[in-house]
Amino acid sequence: MSPRPIAVLLAAFLVLLGLPTLAVAAPVQTLTWTGNNSTTEYASAPTGALPGETTIVFENSEATGNTTGMSHTLTFDTSTEGYNHDVNLNVVANPFDPQNGRHEAVVTLTPGKYRYFCTIPGHTTMVGEFVVSDGTGDTTAPTVTAAVAGDRDPSGNYLESATVSLTATDAGSGVASVEYQLDSGSWTAYSAPVVVSAVGMHMLHYRATDVAGNTSDEGMEHFTIVEGQGDTTPPTVTAAISGAQDSSGNYVDVATVKLTATDADSAVASVEYQLDGGAWTAYTAPVAVTGAGEHMVHFRATDEAGNTSPEGMSDFTVVKSDTTPPTVTASLAGTQDADGSYVGKATVTVVATDTGSGVAAVEYRVDGGAWTAYTAPVPVTAAGVHTVDYRARDVAGNTSAPASVSFTVVAGGDTTAPVVSLAVSGKQDGDWSYVGQASVTLTATDAGSGVGPVEYKVDSGAWTRYTAPVVVSALGAHTVGARATDVAGNASLEVFGAFTVVAAAPPPTDACPVSDTRETVVIGGVDSQVENIDIGNGCTLNDVIDENAEYASHDRFVKHVKAVTQELVGNGVLSGGDRNRIVTAAIESDIGGTAGAADVRGRDVKKAL
């Protein structure tokens, strides 16, 4: 129990006895954190503090800007190196909890640096730190700067309002407070950017004070606010396309474009449009578009104050009253032998025309496969008899009947089979067996017509098309085969690889099933500040030190600690610096006990090591 709760209980007991009570000292300071709708930072947080008993206030409520009912936490870091770890604080606050989101806790701060953060997933950037200083040695005042922002006219005056942001830093004890004074007003605590909207000249003074009590020189910013310049909002302009449409949404023969512009302040001065990348043209009446094909119209408007809207755009397609499908033909090209077969490759070129609405799409398929959009001549290289079907569709939606062309491709002089190899990878034991599983990767090359299908089989299984490395996890001896065929139909020799898969070794036995898992090495109440790590066999540093065993004397206990930590340093588990801190904590402790127990315990611990 901390000293403060003991004092409170003692005061209550004295009241029951009718005796004078002892005065309970109030915390030396109050530090406040606030939260709002942000998940990236706290709404406010301290940057410095004094040592001693402190009231921590964490408020995450509607009053601090949380209007969504979202929870935040204020958690002090007790593990990251470089920060104080002597305060365990983890407060969850929600605007609708029993405390309405406002929570208090009393802690004792010591000189140094503390880190805090929010533990809720998605809020991980809500993090910060503050410095606790007793003021000793810090005689340097904070540095504080100001920045003024807002819309400005050509003379540099701010239009309608200006926002002043203050930033203070202190490398010593930390910033305690920032203040500002606007014009001839009083000094005011700065917590957020200051918005000034009164028309006229203004002077803002500012200063900052650190935890050690050093106050910066006053800074100042002067600026002038003038009336706004009237209408700065551009018009709103929209387009509507009308006309008879077919089942695909295309406009038949004609599409009419109507533009509408409005402006809530000054009047609309002009409306313009641009059709299919042409010149900008003044809009005076709906525009009729009759050309067959796809179209894009851009449009904009300008008001009397000179504000021009962003460009809008609409696209549409016009088709003619067309009921005739396109005409489509195909031609073959390539080197032919005496039988008319194409040697190595045949190239199919498809041409479509339409005198009505125009060609919209051309498609083809090879040997009954899926229909594919035609964009360029199609090469066919596989040896054998082939049929290529083709068709076309016009803008009006008329599709031609499928037509086809048939031909034969023969090998073009490539009589050399591809080369195929396999490689086995994975974790191996001392007998070169693979532990748990083995991965088989196949590689095939062909300098002639190119590699065609690559296949593999495992043991007596069927040949299977290879697409990715094959994982074999069944325990025992295995044989994997590989083969490949090139585009000309030449098949490689079958190659085989043999290997064995064995089971993974069982995990090591935990030498300390009931372990001391405190975060740091603590000996007889003395915290060494060394992380209480697992030494590799399930035992922690606190386990091998074993402060609760019996020892002949305090000196015998210290010798025990020196011995086990020296062995840990030799095994690379512990650094020399951490060993020194642990031995120092042992010396400062009062551990000691019955003679002989330490020797027995030391032997047991060395066995564990």
Side-chain angles (χ1 to χ4, degrees):
M1 182 178 294
S2 68
R4 181 170 174 80
I6 292 174
V8 173
L9 291 175
L10 179 58
F13 180 69
L14 292 175
V15 170
L16 292 175
L17 296 179
L19 298 175
T21 61
L22 298 174
V24 179
V28 299
Q29 64 192 331
T30 298
L31 301 181
T32 302
W33 282 257
T34 62
N36 54 21
N37 293 335
S38 174
T39 60
T40 60
E41 61 184 356
Y42 291 92
S44 67
T47 58
L50 294 172
E53 196 166 272
T54 301
T55 298
I56 301 293
V57 176
F58 179 39
E59 183 171 356
N60 177 36
S61 66
E62 292 182 347
T64 62
N66 191 326
T67 60
T68 63
M70 177 168 52
S71 295
H72 294 305
T73 79
L74 175 62
T75 305
F76 275 39
D77 191 331
T78 58
S79 61
T80 302
E81 186 176 352
Y83 296 94
N84 290 0
H85 299 152
D86 54 358
V87 174
N88 288 310
L89 182 70
N90 185 26
V91 180
V92 181
N94 183 283
F96 305 117
D97 64 25
Q99 287 75 37
N100 295 320
R102 191 180 192 278
H103 298 258
E104 292 189 10
V106 177
V107 302
T108 299
L109 302 178
T110 56
K113 188 186 298 182
Y114 290 83
R115 180 177 181 269
Y116 56 87
F117 58 94
C118 179
T119 62
I120 295 176
H123 301 193
T124 54
T125 59
M126 294 179 63
V127 63
E129 60 184 38
F130 66 95
V131 177
V132 176
S133 171
D134 57 7
T136 302
D138 181 7
T139 59
T140 304
T143 299
V144 57
T145 58
V148 185
D151 294 331
R152 306 178 76 172
D153 65 13
S155 299
N157 302 315
Y158 290 87
L159 300 173
E160 297 186 349
S161 69
T163 300
V164 185
S165 300
L166 303 182
T167 303
T169 58
D170 188 84
S173 56
V175 176
S177 64
V178 181
E179 300 173 289
Y180 70 93
Q181 181 189 59
L182 180 61
D183 299 331
S184 58
S186 59
W187 284 97
T188 304
Y190 175 84
S191 60
V194 181
V195 179
V196 183
S197 56
V199 172
M201 298 179 64
H202 297 279
M203 175 70 76
L204 187 139
H205 293 250
Y206 51 91
R207 65 190 181 192
T209 303
D210 63 17
V211 174
N214 303 299
T215 300
S216 68
D217 294 333
E218 290 183 15
M220 61 185 70
E221 285 286 344
H222 60 87
F223 51 90
T224 300
I225 296 174
V226 297
E227 296 283 358
Q229 295 182 331
D231 179 12
T232 59
T233 303
T236 300
V237 58
T238 59
I241 315 297
S242 61
Q245 293 177 274
D246 61 17
S247 59
S248 299
N250 303 313
Y251 291 89
V252 179
D253 294 328
V254 62
T256 301
V257 183
K258 181 180 180 181
L259 304 182
T260 302
T262 59
D263 190 85
D265 296 317
S266 54
V268 174
S270 64
V271 180
E272 297 174 291
Y273 72 93
Q274 181 192 62
L275 181 62
D276 299 333
W280 283 98
T281 304
Y283 175 83
T284 56
V287 179
V289 181
T290 58
E294 296 181 351
H295 299 280
M296 175 70 76
V297 61
H298 291 248
F299 46 89
R300 65 189 181 192
T302 303
D303 63 18
E304 295 287 354
N307 304 300
T308 299
S309 69
E311 290 181 16
M313 62 184 71
S314 288
D315 63 297
F316 53 92
T317 299
V318 175
V319 298
K320 296 299 182 180
S321 302
D322 179 8
T323 59
T324 303
T327 299
V328 59
T329 60
S331 60
L332 292 168
T335 302
Q336 292 177 278
D337 61 14
D339 297 326
S341 298
Y342 289 86
V343 180
K345 179 177 70 175
T347 300
V348 183
T349 301
V350 181
V351 177
T353 59
D354 189 87
T355 58
S357 56
V359 176
V362 180
E363 297 176 299
Y364 73 94
R365 65 181 180 184
V366 179
D367 298 333
W371 285 102
T372 304
Y374 176 88
T375 57
V378 181
V380 180
T381 57
V385 178
H386 300 283
T387 299
V388 174
D389 302 314
Y390 50 92
R391 65 188 181 188
R393 175 173 48 83
D394 64 18
V395 175
N398 305 299
T399 301
S400 67
S404 63
V405 59
S406 297
F407 53 91
T408 300
V409 176
V410 295
D414 180 8
T415 59
T416 303
V419 177
V420 64
S421 61
L422 62 82
V424 185
S425 61
K427 181 179 179 182
Q428 292 179 281
D429 62 13
D431 296 327
W432 304 104
S433 297
Y434 290 88
V435 180
Q437 65 179 32
S439 180
V440 182
T441 302
L442 306 188
T443 303
T445 58
D446 188 85
S449 56
V451 176
V454 179
E455 297 175 296
Y456 73 94
K457 73 172 182 176
V458 179
D459 299 329
S460 59
W463 286 100
T464 304
R465 187 70 172 259
Y466 176 82
T467 58
V470 181
V471 176
V472 180
S473 57
L475 302 183
H478 298 282
T479 300
V480 175
R483 67 186 185 188
T485 304
D486 64 16
V487 174
N490 303 300
S492 72
L493 296 174
E494 296 177 359
V495 297
F496 295 89
F499 55 89
T500 300
V501 177
V502 297
T509 303
D510 188 347
C512 296
V514 180
S515 194
D516 183 340
T517 59
R518 287 176 288 177
E519 293 185 357
T520 57
V521 177
V522 180
I523 305 175
V526 180
D527 191 345
S528 69
Q529 297 296 315
V530 176
E531 183 182 0
N532 184 30
I533 62 174
D534 189 315
I535 66 172
N537 61 356
C539 295
T540 66
L541 293 175
N542 277 331
D543 291 332
V544 299
I545 290 171
D546 196 9
E547 63 177 340
N548 295 319
E550 295 183 358
Y551 299 92
S553 64
H554 177 66
D555 183 59
R556 179 60 66 86
F557 170 68
V558 173
K559 288 181 179 179
H560 159 68
V561 173
K562 288 181 178 179
V564 297
T565 55
Q566 182 61 45
E567 187 166 350
L568 291 172
V569 170
N571 292 337
V573 174
L574 198 63
S575 70
D578 284 346
R579 176 182 183 256
N580 291 339
R581 283 189 281 273
I582 293 174
V583 172
T584 299
I587 294 171
E588 293 177 354
S589 74
D590 57 0
I591 300 297
T594 304
D599 292 336
V600 175
R601 177 59 181 169
R603 289 195 296 272
D604 292 342
V605 169
K606 288 192 174 183
K607 290 178 181 179
L609 293 173

